[in-house]
PDB file of all heavy atoms in Angstrom:
ATOM      1  N   PHE A  34      -1.664 -15.149  -6.052  1.00  0.00           N
ATOM      2  CA  PHE A  34      -2.875 -15.549  -5.308  1.00  0.00           C
ATOM      3  C   PHE A  34      -4.093 -15.467  -6.219  1.00  0.00           C
ATOM      4  O   PHE A  34      -4.073 -14.772  -7.231  1.00  0.00           O
ATOM      5  CB  PHE A  34      -3.052 -14.636  -4.078  1.00  0.00           C
ATOM      6  CG  PHE A  34      -1.877 -14.714  -3.138  1.00  0.00           C
ATOM      7  CD1 PHE A  34      -0.868 -13.762  -3.180  1.00  0.00           C
ATOM      8  CD2 PHE A  34      -1.758 -15.770  -2.242  1.00  0.00           C
ATOM      9  CE1 PHE A  34       0.243 -13.847  -2.341  1.00  0.00           C
ATOM     10  CE2 PHE A  34      -0.661 -15.865  -1.399  1.00  0.00           C
ATOM     11  CZ  PHE A  34       0.336 -14.903  -1.441  1.00  0.00           C
ATOM     12  N   ASP A  35      -5.164 -16.178  -5.817  1.00  0.00           N
ATOM     13  CA  ASP A  35      -6.384 -16.129  -6.630  1.00  0.00           C
ATOM     14  C   ASP A  35      -6.991 -14.732  -6.576  1.00  0.00           C
ATOM     15  O   ASP A  35      -7.510 -14.222  -7.564  1.00  0.00           O
ATOM     16  CB  ASP A  35      -7.403 -17.150  -6.103  1.00  0.00           C
ATOM     17  CG  ASP A  35      -6.851 -18.561  -6.187  1.00  0.00           C
ATOM     18  OD1 ASP A  35      -6.419 -18.944  -7.285  1.00  0.00           O
ATOM     19  OD2 ASP A  35      -6.804 -19.254  -5.149  1.00  0.00           O
ATOM     20  N   LYS A  36      -6.933 -14.145  -5.369  1.00  0.00           N
ATOM     21  CA  LYS A  36      -7.501 -12.804  -5.223  1.00  0.00           C
ATOM     22  C   LYS A  36      -6.603 -11.981  -4.294  1.00  0.00           C
ATOM     23  O   LYS A  36      -6.090 -12.520  -3.296  1.00  0.00           O
ATOM     24  CB  LYS A  36      -8.900 -12.911  -4.620  1.00  0.00           C
ATOM     25  CG  LYS A  36      -9.601 -11.591  -4.487  1.00  0.00           C
ATOM     26  CD  LYS A  36     -11.009 -11.819  -3.963  1.00  0.00           C
ATOM     27  CE  LYS A  36     -11.655 -10.521  -3.589  1.00  0.00           C
ATOM     28  NZ  LYS A  36     -12.950 -10.752  -2.940  1.00  0.00           N
ATOM     29  N   LEU A  37      -6.418 -10.714  -4.642  1.00  0.00           N
ATOM     30  CA  LEU A  37      -5.618  -9.818  -3.795  1.00  0.00           C
ATOM     31  C   LEU A  37      -6.501  -8.632  -3.394  1.00  0.00           C
ATOM     32  O   LEU A  37      -7.074  -7.963  -4.260  1.00  0.00           O
ATOM     33  CB  LEU A  37      -4.393  -9.317  -4.566  1.00  0.00           C
ATOM     34  CG  LEU A  37      -3.478  -8.369  -3.794  1.00  0.00           C
ATOM     35  CD1 LEU A  37      -2.682  -9.138  -2.724  1.00  0.00           C
ATOM     36  CD2 LEU A  37      -2.499  -7.651  -4.728  1.00  0.00           C
ATOM     37  N   ILE A  38      -6.609  -8.421  -2.080  1.00  0.00           N
ATOM     38  CA  ILE A  38      -7.335  -7.235  -1.617  1.00  0.00           C
ATOM     39  C   ILE A  38      -6.296  -6.194  -1.216  1.00  0.00           C
ATOM     40  O   ILE A  38      -5.441  -6.446  -0.356  1.00  0.00           O
ATOM     41  CB  ILE A  38      -8.264  -7.548  -0.426  1.00  0.00           C
ATOM     42  CG1 ILE A  38      -9.268  -8.632  -0.807  1.00  0.00           C
ATOM     43  CG2 ILE A  38      -8.981  -6.276   0.034  1.00  0.00           C
ATOM     44  CD1 ILE A  38     -10.212  -9.053   0.328  1.00  0.00           C
ATOM     45  N   VAL A  39      -6.322  -5.052  -1.889  1.00  0.00           N
ATOM     46  CA  VAL A  39      -5.409  -3.956  -1.555  1.00  0.00           C
ATOM     47  C   VAL A  39      -6.165  -3.090  -0.554  1.00  0.00           C
ATOM     48  O   VAL A  39      -7.237  -2.555  -0.858  1.00  0.00           O
ATOM     49  CB  VAL A  39      -5.021  -3.153  -2.817  1.00  0.00           C
ATOM     50  CG1 VAL A  39      -4.017  -2.070  -2.463  1.00  0.00           C
ATOM     51  CG2 VAL A  39      -4.464  -4.078  -3.891  1.00  0.00           C
ATOM     52  N   LEU A  40      -5.607  -2.995   0.650  1.00  0.00           N
ATOM     53  CA  LEU A  40      -6.371  -2.413   1.759  1.00  0.00           C
ATOM     54  C   LEU A  40      -5.751  -1.107   2.248  1.00  0.00           C
ATOM     55  O   LEU A  40      -4.652  -1.092   2.807  1.00  0.00           O
ATOM     56  CB  LEU A  40      -6.400  -3.428   2.915  1.00  0.00           C
ATOM     57  CG  LEU A  40      -7.330  -3.082   4.066  1.00  0.00           C
ATOM     58  CD1 LEU A  40      -8.790  -3.151   3.617  1.00  0.00           C
ATOM     59  CD2 LEU A  40      -7.093  -4.031   5.241  1.00  0.00           C
ATOM     60  N   VAL A  41      -6.455  -0.018   2.042  1.00  0.00           N
ATOM     61  CA  VAL A  41      -6.014   1.268   2.586  1.00  0.00           C
ATOM     62  C   VAL A  41      -6.303   1.230   4.085  1.00  0.00           C
ATOM     63  O   VAL A  41      -7.454   1.105   4.510  1.00  0.00           O
ATOM     64  CB  VAL A  41      -6.758   2.440   1.906  1.00  0.00           C
ATOM     65  CG1 VAL A  41      -6.401   3.763   2.567  1.00  0.00           C
ATOM     66  CG2 VAL A  41      -6.451   2.483   0.414  1.00  0.00           C
ATOM     67  N   SER A  42      -5.231   1.282   4.875  1.00  0.00           N
ATOM     68  CA  SER A  42      -5.371   1.118   6.329  1.00  0.00           C
ATOM     69  C   SER A  42      -4.811   2.340   7.047  1.00  0.00           C
ATOM     70  O   SER A  42      -4.069   3.127   6.470  1.00  0.00           O
ATOM     71  CB  SER A  42      -4.587  -0.104   6.805  1.00  0.00           C
ATOM     72  OG  SER A  42      -4.955  -1.235   6.078  1.00  0.00           O
ATOM     73  N   ILE A  43      -5.143   2.404   8.328  1.00  0.00           N
ATOM     74  CA  ILE A  43      -4.652   3.546   9.110  1.00  0.00           C
ATOM     75  C   ILE A  43      -3.342   3.167   9.779  1.00  0.00           C
ATOM     76  O   ILE A  43      -3.260   2.146  10.471  1.00  0.00           O
ATOM     77  CB  ILE A  43      -5.696   3.957  10.152  1.00  0.00           C
ATOM     78  CG1 ILE A  43      -6.956   4.320   9.382  1.00  0.00           C
ATOM     79  CG2 ILE A  43      -5.166   5.087  11.038  1.00  0.00           C
ATOM     80  CD1 ILE A  43      -7.914   5.222  10.001  1.00  0.00           C
ATOM     81  N   ASN A  44      -2.307   3.976   9.545  1.00  0.00           N
ATOM     82  CA  ASN A  44      -1.048   3.838  10.271  1.00  0.00           C
ATOM     83  C   ASN A  44      -1.004   4.996  11.267  1.00  0.00           C
ATOM     84  O   ASN A  44      -0.772   6.142  10.877  1.00  0.00           O
ATOM     85  CB  ASN A  44       0.131   3.903   9.295  1.00  0.00           C
ATOM     86  CG  ASN A  44       1.457   3.765  10.007  1.00  0.00           C
ATOM     87  OD1 ASN A  44       1.533   3.893  11.222  1.00  0.00           O
ATOM     88  ND2 ASN A  44       2.508   3.507   9.244  1.00  0.00           N
ATOM     89  N   PRO A  45      -1.254   4.716  12.555  1.00  0.00           N
ATOM     90  CA  PRO A  45      -1.349   5.817  13.528  1.00  0.00           C
ATOM     91  C   PRO A  45      -0.061   6.632  13.613  1.00  0.00           C
ATOM     92  O   PRO A  45      -0.077   7.776  14.042  1.00  0.00           O
ATOM     93  CB  PRO A  45      -1.620   5.098  14.861  1.00  0.00           C
ATOM     94  CG  PRO A  45      -2.061   3.734  14.493  1.00  0.00           C
ATOM     95  CD  PRO A  45      -1.441   3.404  13.171  1.00  0.00           C
ATOM     96  N   ALA A  46       1.057   6.045  13.173  1.00  0.00           N
ATOM     97  CA  ALA A  46       2.337   6.768  13.235  1.00  0.00           C
ATOM     98  C   ALA A  46       2.500   7.749  12.084  1.00  0.00           C
ATOM     99  O   ALA A  46       3.444   8.539  12.070  1.00  0.00           O
ATOM    100  CB  ALA A  46       3.483   5.761  13.221  1.00  0.00           C
ATOM    101  N   LYS A  47       1.620   7.682  11.095  1.00  0.00           N
ATOM    102  CA  LYS A  47       1.777   8.520   9.892  1.00  0.00           C
ATOM    103  C   LYS A  47       0.465   9.225   9.563  1.00  0.00           C
ATOM    104  O   LYS A  47      -0.393   8.630   8.899  1.00  0.00           O
ATOM    105  CB  LYS A  47       2.111   7.636   8.677  1.00  0.00           C
ATOM    106  CG  LYS A  47       3.511   7.155   8.527  1.00  0.00           C
ATOM    107  CD  LYS A  47       3.666   6.692   7.062  1.00  0.00           C
ATOM    108  CE  LYS A  47       4.352   5.369   6.942  1.00  0.00           C
ATOM    109  NZ  LYS A  47       4.203   4.771   5.602  1.00  0.00           N
ATOM    110  N   PRO A  48       0.278  10.466  10.007  1.00  0.00           N
ATOM    111  CA  PRO A  48      -0.955  11.171   9.618  1.00  0.00           C
ATOM    112  C   PRO A  48      -1.014  11.269   8.085  1.00  0.00           C
ATOM    113  O   PRO A  48       0.007  11.531   7.454  1.00  0.00           O
ATOM    114  CB  PRO A  48      -0.796  12.564  10.241  1.00  0.00           C
ATOM    115  CG  PRO A  48       0.368  12.473  11.150  1.00  0.00           C
ATOM    116  CD  PRO A  48       1.205  11.301  10.762  1.00  0.00           C
ATOM    117  N   SER A  49      -2.183  11.012   7.503  1.00  0.00           N
ATOM    118  CA  SER A  49      -2.217  10.943   6.037  1.00  0.00           C
ATOM    119  C   SER A  49      -2.465  12.312   5.404  1.00  0.00           C
ATOM    120  O   SER A  49      -3.127  13.173   5.976  1.00  0.00           O
ATOM    121  CB  SER A  49      -3.279   9.946   5.588  1.00  0.00           C
ATOM    122  OG  SER A  49      -4.542  10.403   5.961  1.00  0.00           O
ATOM    123  N   THR A  50      -1.923  12.474   4.205  1.00  0.00           N
ATOM    124  CA  THR A  50      -2.105  13.712   3.430  1.00  0.00           C
ATOM    125  C   THR A  50      -3.425  13.646   2.673  1.00  0.00           C
ATOM    126  O   THR A  50      -4.167  14.621   2.602  1.00  0.00           O
ATOM    127  CB  THR A  50      -0.945  13.850   2.407  1.00  0.00           C
ATOM    128  OG1 THR A  50       0.282  13.803   3.114  1.00  0.00           O
ATOM    129  CG2 THR A  50      -1.054  15.146   1.625  1.00  0.00           C
ATOM    130  N   PHE A  51      -3.707  12.473   2.104  1.00  0.00           N
ATOM    131  CA  PHE A  51      -4.917  12.295   1.304  1.00  0.00           C
ATOM    132  C   PHE A  51      -5.968  11.538   2.118  1.00  0.00           C
ATOM    133  O   PHE A  51      -5.625  10.710   2.975  1.00  0.00           O
ATOM    134  CB  PHE A  51      -4.582  11.511   0.020  1.00  0.00           C
ATOM    135  CG  PHE A  51      -3.697  12.284  -0.928  1.00  0.00           C
ATOM    136  CD1 PHE A  51      -2.318  12.123  -0.898  1.00  0.00           C
ATOM    137  CD2 PHE A  51      -4.236  13.214  -1.811  1.00  0.00           C
ATOM    138  CE1 PHE A  51      -1.492  12.849  -1.750  1.00  0.00           C
ATOM    139  CE2 PHE A  51      -3.422  13.946  -2.664  1.00  0.00           C
ATOM    140  CZ  PHE A  51      -2.048  13.761  -2.631  1.00  0.00           C
ATOM    141  N   SER A  52      -7.240  11.840   1.830  1.00  0.00           N
ATOM    142  CA  SER A  52      -8.322  11.154   2.548  1.00  0.00           C
ATOM    143  C   SER A  52      -8.361   9.681   2.122  1.00  0.00           C
ATOM    144  O   SER A  52      -7.803   9.313   1.078  1.00  0.00           O
ATOM    145  CB  SER A  52      -9.669  11.807   2.226  1.00  0.00           C
ATOM    146  OG  SER A  52     -10.015  11.526   0.884  1.00  0.00           O
ATOM    147  N   THR A  53      -9.048   8.873   2.904  1.00  0.00           N
ATOM    148  CA  THR A  53      -9.197   7.459   2.551  1.00  0.00           C
ATOM    149  C   THR A  53      -9.832   7.334   1.164  1.00  0.00           C
ATOM    150  O   THR A  53      -9.387   6.546   0.334  1.00  0.00           O
ATOM    151  CB  THR A  53     -10.081   6.745   3.596  1.00  0.00           C
ATOM    152  OG1 THR A  53      -9.458   6.906   4.865  1.00  0.00           O
ATOM    153  CG2 THR A  53     -10.237   5.276   3.299  1.00  0.00           C
TER     154      THR A  53
END
Side-chain angles (χ1 to χ4, degrees):
F34 300 98
D35 299 307
K36 183 176 170 187
L37 180 73
I38 302 178
V39 183
L40 189 67
V41 174
S42 307
I43 301 204
N44 180 345
K47 281 197 226 166
S49 65
T50 304
F51 293 94
S52 70
T53 302

